Amino acid sequence: MMRGGRYWHGAVEKPKPNVSRRLLFRVLKYAKPYWLHIAGMLLSITAGALLGLISPLIFREIIDVALPEKDILKLNALALGLVAIPLIRSGIRIAQRKLNVTIGEGVIYDLRVALYRHLQQMSLRFFTNTRTGELMSRLNNDVVGAQNAISNTIVAFATNVITVVATMAIMLALEWRLTLAGVIIFPFFIFIVRRLGARLQKLVRAQMEHNAQMNAMMNETLDIGGALLVKLFGRIDAEVRQFAGRAADVRDAGVKRSVMGMQVSTLIGLASFLGTALVYWIGGLMVIEGTFTIGMIVAFAVYLERLYFPLEALTNAPVDFAQSIVSFERVFEVIDLPLEISEKRDAIHLDKVKGALAFEDVRFRYRIEEAHLLSDVERIGRFASVDATRSGDRGRRGSETARSGGAHQARDIALDKIAFRIEPGQLVALVGPSGAGKTTLTYLIPRLYDPSAGRITLDGYDLRDLTLSTMARNIGMVTQETYLFHDTIRTNLLYAKPDASQAELEAAAKVAHIHDFIMGLSDGYDSIVGERGYRLSGGEKQRMAIARVVLKDPRILVLDEATSHLDSQSEALIQDALSQIMRGRSSIVIAHRLSTILAADTILVLDRGLIVEGGSHNELLNQDGLYARLYETQFSGQRELA
C-alpha cells in the first residue's frame, strides 16, 4: 500500500526511485573524469552507425543495378564492400569496447573508494546499528549496478540515438511515405513500455533487496563467531532452512523479472513485425505500380530492422536507467549519511600532548537519529518463536535495544553528569556493576562517540576542536574483545606503527610477554593468526593487543582489563605487562583486579550512567556504599594475590 507517496511492505518503508535532474547530474559527474574516453567512444559509435547505413544501399545496388545489367565487376566490388564493412565495424567495436570498459571499471573504482572512505569515517554508533552484510551489498552489488548505468545504459542510449537519427534521415531521403508507414507503430512501443516497465522496475528493486537480505545472512552466519554460535546451539538445519527461504526469494524475484522482461520484449517484437509487414505491403503495391524498385524495398526492410531495435531500446531506456539509478540511490544514500564524528576545518593539531584529560558535565545517549542510519532492507522474522529475538521481526524502527548496540544500554541515558579530571601520568580506575556505563565512558575518550552534552578536554582543548590524527596518535586503547586481522603476527603488530623495525617489534612483544611464544611458532613473527585471531588463546590475543599498544607508544591509555576469563599464568603475565605500559602515562582503566584499584590515584564508581562515588580505596571503603559492596563481592577474594 502507499503512504505519502511511498510504498510500504510490512514495517519497511520503500521510496519509489526518484530520477530527478539533480540525481542525473550527480550520476554524470562520475563520468566526468573520463570525458576523453567518452568523446572517443561517441566518435566510434557515430562511425559504426554510419558504416552500418551503407550495407542496405549496397543491397539495393546489387539487386537494382548489378544483377539486371549483369555487371560482374560491379558485383565483385559490391560483394567486397559487404565483407569490408563488417571487418571495419568489428575493429571499431573492439576499440569502443575498450573505451567502454575503461569508463565502467573506472567508475566502479571511484564509487567504491568514495563509499569505503565514507564508511571508514562513520562513527562506531553507525556500525553497531548496521549489518555488515548490508554494507557489503552496497559496496559490491549496488556499485556494479551503478557502473552499469554509466558504461551500459548511457552508452546504449547514445548509440541508439545516433543510429535512429542517422537511419531516419536516410530513410526519409529515400522514400518519406514508406518511412511514415514504418514508424506508425511507434506509439505501441511507448504504450507497452509504460504499462509494463513500471512493474519491471519494482521487480528489480525487490530482487536487489532480497539479495541484500541473503548477503546479510551469509555474512552473519558464515563469520567465525556466527558459525561457532550456530554449531554450539545445533542450529545448522534451522539456518539452512532460513537461508533456503531467502535464496528462494532471490530465485523467485529473478524468475518474475525474467518473465516480465520477456513479455515486454515479445510484445515489442510483435509490434516490430507488424511495422515490417506494413512496409512490405505498401512497398509491394508501389513496386506493382512501377514507382518503386525491389532493391529499394530490400534496403528499406534492412533499415527498418536497424530502426526498430534502437527504437525499442530507446523506449525502454527510461526503465533501464531507472533500474540502474536504484543502485546509484543506494550508493549515494551511504555517501550522503552525515558524519557524526567529523574534523573541523580549523582543527588544532598537537605535536606534543601532556595527557591532562577532563570530563565536564558529560552526558551521552545511544539513541541515534534516523538521518544518521542506513535504511534497512526488508527484515523478515527468522522464526515465529525462538528466533524472534534476532533483528528480523522488529521492522524499520526496532526497539531501543536494537538501535543502541547492546541490551545493557537499553536505558535512554547511558551516561549523565560525568565530571572528573586526570592529571598527566595519573591512573584512574573505573569500577561498577555490569551495564553501569564504564565501557561507554572509555569509548568517548578516543572519540568513538561524541558526548550528547558537555565536553571532554585534552590539555585544555575540547576533543572536537582537535584533529583526528592528534587523537589517533596520542590515545591507545586495549578493549575487552581483541580484534586481529587474518594475517601474520607481524602485520597485526605493524598496524600500530607501519614503519617499526624488527627490533621495535620484539621490544614491544617482550614488554607484553608474548615474544617467547611468537619465537616458539614455526614461522615466528610471520605466523598467521587466523580469522579474528582464533588460532591464538584468549591470553595470547590480549598480550598481542598490549604489544600493539606498546608499539604505538601513546600518551593516554584506555584499558579494559579483561582478565577474569584467563588462566592464572596468562592473567599474571598480562597484569605485569599492563603495569609496565601504564608507567608515566595518563591511564583510565576498567578495573577487574584489586592490584589495579590499589595502584589507582582515583577510583570512580559508576552505577546506571552516574558517578556515584569517587576517591581512594580506603576512602571508598569507609563510605560503606556501592564500592564497599562491590569490593566484598568482586575483589576481596583477590587480597592474597594483591
Side-chain angles (χ1 to χ4, degrees):
M1 62 180 172
M2 286 188 63
R3 295 184 186 176
R6 292 175 181 264
Y7 284 85
W8 287 70
H9 185 93
V12 186
E13 188 179 13
K14 295 180 179 178
K16 294 169 64 179
N18 181 22
V19 188
S20 64
R21 180 177 297 181
R22 177 178 173 275
L23 182 59
L24 287 176
F25 277 121
R26 190 171 183 185
V27 170
L28 293 174
K29 175 183 171 185
Y30 278 90
K32 188 176 180 180
Y34 307 95
W35 68 271
L36 280 176
H37 295 83
I38 293 173
M41 193 163 57
L42 289 175
L43 285 174
S44 67
I45 290 171
T46 303
L50 293 177
L51 279 172
L53 297 176
I54 298 175
S55 296
L57 297 178
I58 294 177
F59 292 143
R60 186 187 66 172
E61 284 297 304
I62 291 174
I63 295 172
D64 290 345
V65 180
L67 294 180
E69 295 178 2
K70 300 181 179 180
D71 189 338
I72 296 177
L73 289 176
K74 178 172 282 192
L75 180 62
N76 291 339
L78 293 172
L80 285 174
L82 289 176
V83 174
I85 288 174
L87 288 175
I88 297 172
R89 290 188 71 191
S90 296
I92 292 174
R93 278 196 293 267
I94 291 172
Q96 179 184 330
R97 181 60 181 169
K98 182 178 180 181
L99 292 168
N100 191 6
V101 170
T102 301
I103 296 168
E105 293 299 329
V107 168
I108 280 186
Y109 169 81
D110 295 338
L111 272 176
R112 278 200 175 123
V113 171
L115 195 58
Y116 186 78
R117 179 185 293 111
H118 192 77
L119 286 172
Q120 286 291 348
Q121 293 173 329
M122 297 300 291
S123 71
L124 187 63
R125 193 197 313 250
F126 170 79
F127 293 100
T128 61
N129 289 284
T130 308
R131 280 185 172 187
T132 305
E134 291 175 17
L135 297 181
M136 295 303 102
S137 178
R138 306 289 172 117
L139 275 165
N140 292 317
N141 301 345
D142 294 332
V143 168
V144 173
Q147 175 262 343
N148 181 63
I150 291 217
S151 65
N152 292 334
T153 307
I154 294 177
V155 171
F157 179 79
T159 302
N160 292 325
V161 166
I162 293 172
T163 303
V164 167
V165 170
T167 305
M168 284 286 290
I170 197 167
M171 287 176 67
L172 287 170
L174 291 175
E175 174 53 59
W176 66 271
R177 288 168 295 182
L178 273 186
T179 303
L180 291 180
V183 300
I184 198 170
I185 55 97
F186 184 63
F188 290 101
F189 283 80
I190 299 175
F191 173 79
I192 293 169
V193 171
R194 286 191 174 180
R195 190 69 180 268
L196 299 180
R199 293 168 60 187
L200 185 60
Q201 182 178 325
K202 290 180 184 178
L203 290 175
V204 171
R205 174 177 280 276
Q207 188 178 29
M208 292 174 67
E209 290 179 347
H210 289 314
N211 264 305
Q213 291 172 9
M214 185 176 67
N215 289 340
M217 182 179 178
M218 285 191 294
N219 190 277
E220 200 172 53
T221 56
L222 296 180
D223 169 85
I224 182 68
L228 181 62
L229 189 67
V230 171
K231 293 179 185 301
L232 289 176
F233 283 88
R235 299 306 300 272
I236 294 177
D237 292 339
E239 292 296 338
V240 170
R241 285 195 301 271
Q242 180 66 15
F243 178 79
R246 296 199 174 182
D249 290 337
V250 175
R251 176 200 62 199
D252 296 342
V255 170
K256 291 178 182 178
R257 176 183 177 181
S258 297
V259 171
M260 180 63 68
M262 182 55 67
Q263 289 176 359
V264 173
S265 297
T266 301
L267 291 174
I268 290 177
L270 291 174
S272 301
F273 285 128
L274 177 62
T276 303
L278 192 61
V279 166
Y280 271 112
W281 177 59
I282 296 175
L285 292 176
M286 295 174 73
V287 169
I288 293 172
E289 292 174 357
T291 59
F292 218 54
T293 66
I294 296 175
M296 187 70 80
I297 290 181
V298 172
F300 245 91
V302 176
Y303 281 131
L304 206 59
E305 180 183 348
R306 295 185 179 177
L307 179 67
Y308 281 158
F309 180 77
L311 275 178
E312 174 187 344
L314 285 176
T315 54
N316 233 358
V319 177
D320 292 338
F321 192 72
Q323 292 168 2
S324 298
I325 222 69
V326 169
S327 294
F328 264 107
E329 283 182 318
R330 287 166 61 83
V331 172
F332 289 153
E333 182 191 358
V334 181
I335 295 176
D336 290 340
L337 286 173
L339 296 178
E340 184 182 357
I341 308 297
S342 58
E343 183 177 283
K344 294 182 178 179
R345 289 188 176 182
D346 57 347
I348 302 166
H349 179 75
L350 300 180
D351 292 322
K352 292 184 178 181
V353 170
K354 296 178 181 177
L357 196 66
F359 279 64
E360 300 177 3
D361 200 24
V362 168
R363 188 185 206 200
F364 179 77
R365 60 193 305 174
Y366 270 103
R367 181 179 296 173
I368 183 170
E369 295 180 7
E370 295 293 322
H372 290 77
L373 289 175
L374 192 62
S375 65
D376 295 337
V377 296
E378 181 183 351
R379 303 296 182 85
I380 302 174
R382 297 181 59 82
F383 296 98
S385 56
V386 179
D387 287 333
T389 55
R390 291 178 66 179
S391 61
D393 67 335
R394 283 193 287 255
R396 179 69 183 89
R397 302 175 187 276
S399 70
E400 184 64 26
T401 301
R403 284 298 187 198
S404 70
H408 65 283
Q409 294 295 351
R411 63 177 183 275
D412 190 32
I413 305 298
L415 294 172
D416 196 16
K417 301 176 183 178
I418 301 297
F420 65 92
R421 182 176 180 84
I422 304 174
E423 297 299 336
Q426 283 190 335
L427 167 62
V428 170
L430 303 179
V431 298
S434 177
K438 303 184 296 296
T439 299
T440 300
L441 189 151
T442 62
Y443 280 178
L444 296 179
I445 298 172
R447 284 198 75 191
L448 298 180
Y449 299 110
D450 273 342
S452 304
R455 69 173 193 156
I456 305 170
T457 64
L458 175 61
D459 290 351
Y461 296 96
D462 191 318
L463 295 187
R464 288 168 287 203
D465 294 332
L466 298 176
T467 60
L468 294 176
S469 61
T470 297
M471 310 298 300
R473 174 66 189 86
N474 291 283
I475 298 175
M477 191 167 187
V478 178
T479 59
Q480 186 168 354
E481 183 179 350
T482 300
Y483 187 92
L484 299 175
F485 293 110
H486 184 62
D487 212 317
T488 64
I489 291 175
R490 182 188 310 279
T491 300
N492 276 283
L493 292 178
L494 287 176
Y495 204 73
K497 188 179 180 182
D499 59 347
S501 64
Q502 179 65 25
E504 289 176 304
L505 284 180
E506 292 182 5
K510 287 176 181 177
V511 171
H513 297 293
I514 192 71
H515 174 71
D516 291 340
F517 165 77
I518 295 173
M519 296 307 296
L521 299 174
S522 57
D523 294 321
Y525 281 83
D526 293 316
S527 300
I528 302 294
V529 301
E531 180 72 13
R532 296 178 181 266
Y534 263 75
R535 292 186 183 178
L536 306 182
S537 69
E540 290 158 358
K541 285 195 292 183
Q542 197 74 6
R543 280 179 278 160
M544 279 280 293
I546 293 171
R548 194 161 51 186
V549 169
V550 170
L551 197 63
K552 183 177 181 179
D553 190 26
R555 286 299 306 145
I556 298 173
L557 281 172
V558 181
L559 305 172
D560 189 342
E561 283 188 295
T563 60
S564 57
H565 64 290
L566 302 179
D567 60 83
S568 57
Q569 182 180 5
S570 296
E571 185 175 343
L573 291 173
I574 288 174
Q575 287 302 319
D576 182 67
L578 289 175
S579 65
Q580 291 188 55
I581 66 172
M582 286 190 293
R583 290 171 189 163
R585 308 174 199 270
S586 302
S587 303
I588 183 165
V589 182
I590 299 176
H592 299 272
R593 296 288 301 171
L594 181 60
S595 57
T596 302
I597 293 173
L598 295 176
D601 297 287
T602 302
I603 302 168
L604 300 178
V605 185
L606 275 74
D607 186 31
R608 299 189 62 81
L610 296 170
I611 295 179
V612 294
E613 294 173 356
S616 67
H617 172 68
N618 291 327
E619 290 171 347
L620 293 175
L621 283 180
N622 292 333
Q623 291 180 22
D624 196 25
L626 177 59
Y627 178 80
R629 295 195 298 274
L630 288 172
Y631 173 75
E632 288 300 324
T633 57
Q634 296 183 22
F635 302 115
S636 59
Q638 303 173 13
R639 279 176 291 194
E640 294 82 3
L641 302 174

